[in-house]
Amino acid sequence: MTGKIVFRKAALRKPKLKKVQMSQVMLLLLMAVLVVFTSTPMIAMICRAFMPLEELYIYPPRIIVRNPTLQNFSDLLTSLSASVVPFTRYIFNSLFTTGSAVFLSVLVCCMGAYGLVKFKPIGSNAIFAVILAALMFSNHVTQIPNYMVVNAMGLINSYLSLIIPKVAVAYNFFLVKQFAEQLPDSILEAARIDGCGEFQTFWKIAMPLLKPAWSTLAVFSFVNNWNDYFSPLIFINRNAMKTLPLALQTMAGGAGVVARAGTVGAATLLTTAPAIIVFVIMRGKVMQTMTYSGIKS
């Protein structure tokens, strides 16, 4: 009986309302304003891809499309497919070079960082100092020596010219190295005692533990390589070897810019969408890496 009375009193109690402070409200409003501000260019890009030509040059300019159309995408595929090089060729070039560069960069940087941290070869500190020094140079500064090396190897106008220079990247190596330092040596020693070779230990033990790091590396590498038009501009002279960003830059200039404004908007959306999709899918791993990369066990 006593238990029923206590239960009824507990049921009759009104839940306490959590007090919302004015600072929290202001913080939420500020965050909402920042979200709207940062998302406006993306919304404008998406709307521009679906805008008819009469809305693209209306004054004052519109951000939100009122009469969406797929004509821009149809014109893009029709105009580029009717040219000497079809549009699908540019897509294939970008997918192949980007996918190959991402895969090789993840493999090489993970193996190099793991070996440098866990085996500590002679001169490892000097090697890491050189990698840190390489972080200070912009990619555009190193394009001249890269071109000289690629030209001396006879790789101009080939896929390898867009893949090999992007395999061993100093930032990718540094990111994995900082994360690899947190791998417990006891787990690796236990794997060796159980009979695993060094490559098995790396592939079956270290790589799963380094998944947040190399997932982040894969995202950054994909975004940088997919959006890169400067390297193809330097190393590629043939139209059939151009990547999608370079073809987009070529299409955006020249005569008939006004008539191709909607087509350029559609091509911009198609170029940007894969990078956004990859980041949205892998954002959890990216946040995990950013959270734990500075924590030592």
Side-chain angles (χ1 to χ4, degrees):
M1 187 66 182
T2 305
K4 293 182 178 179
I5 296 174
V6 174
F7 177 77
R8 290 177 180 175
K9 289 183 178 180
L12 292 175
R13 290 176 184 173
K14 295 182 179 180
K16 294 182 179 180
L17 297 176
K18 186 178 179 180
K19 294 182 179 180
V20 180
Q21 298 180 356
M22 189 62 183
S23 59
Q24 295 178 340
V25 175
M26 296 299 296
L27 179 61
L28 291 175
L29 291 176
L30 178 61
M31 294 299 295
V33 172
L34 291 177
V35 168
V36 173
F37 180 76
T38 54
S39 61
T40 299
M42 187 179 301
I43 296 174
M45 177 191 67
I46 296 174
C47 291
R48 187 178 181 85
F50 295 95
M51 274 188 182
L53 187 62
E54 57 269 16
E55 289 189 25
L56 285 170
Y57 291 96
I58 196 172
Y59 187 84
R62 293 177 181 174
I63 296 179
I64 305 299
V65 59
R66 295 186 180 180
N67 300 308
T69 179
L70 295 176
Q71 187 65 35
N72 296 331
F73 295 91
S74 177
D75 294 341
L76 174 65
L77 296 177
T78 301
S79 60
L80 292 181
S81 296
S83 63
V84 178
V85 181
F87 183 69
T88 53
R89 176 72 180 188
Y90 299 136
I91 297 178
F92 171 78
N93 293 340
S94 292
L95 287 175
F96 180 76
T97 56
T98 301
S100 301
V102 169
F103 175 77
L104 293 176
S105 181
V106 169
L107 184 62
V108 170
C109 292
C110 287
M111 293 180 67
Y114 174 80
L116 189 67
V117 170
K118 297 304 177 182
F119 293 99
K120 298 186 183 301
I122 299 175
S124 58
N125 293 331
I127 295 174
F128 187 62
V130 172
I131 294 173
L132 289 179
L135 292 173
M136 296 186 298
F137 295 95
S138 172
N139 293 331
H140 296 81
V141 176
T142 58
Q143 283 297 333
I144 294 178
N146 282 343
Y147 179 83
M148 295 176 63
V149 172
V150 171
N151 187 38
M153 296 174 65
L155 300 179
I156 299 296
N157 285 322
S158 67
Y159 290 128
L160 292 178
S161 64
L162 303 178
I163 297 174
I164 293 179
K166 300 176 181 179
V167 172
V169 182
Y171 176 78
N172 297 346
F173 190 95
F174 175 78
L175 178 65
V176 181
K177 188 261 182 186
Q178 295 301 104
F179 209 93
E181 289 181 346
Q182 304 175 37
L183 293 179
D185 295 332
S186 58
I187 297 179
L188 304 178
E189 290 296 334
R192 296 187 182 102
I193 293 173
D194 288 339
C196 289
E198 291 300 337
F199 184 78
Q200 281 184 314
T201 303
F202 165 75
W203 189 255
K204 294 184 178 181
I205 305 298
M207 284 297 285
L209 294 176
L210 291 174
K211 186 176 181 180
W214 60 257
S215 298
T216 304
L217 187 156
V219 172
F220 289 164
S221 181
F222 181 89
V223 173
N224 292 333
N225 289 302
W226 180 266
N227 294 326
D228 182 24
Y229 81 94
F230 188 76
S231 296
L233 182 65
I234 299 298
F235 298 129
I236 302 300
N237 298 323
R238 295 168 50 193
N239 289 330
M241 299 297 296
K242 288 182 179 180
T243 58
L244 191 58
L246 181 58
L248 174 62
Q249 292 293 327
T250 304
M251 184 178 60
V257 176
V258 175
R260 295 198 307 268
T263 305
V264 173
T268 303
L269 179 60
L270 292 178
T271 305
T272 310
I276 297 175
I277 293 173
V278 169
F279 180 79
V280 170
I281 294 174
M282 304 293 291
R283 68 184 184 280
K285 297 298 181 182
V286 175
M287 295 299 105
Q288 185 177 352
T289 302
M290 297 299 105
T291 303
Y292 294 104
S293 59
I295 301 176
K296 297 293 183 62
S297 56

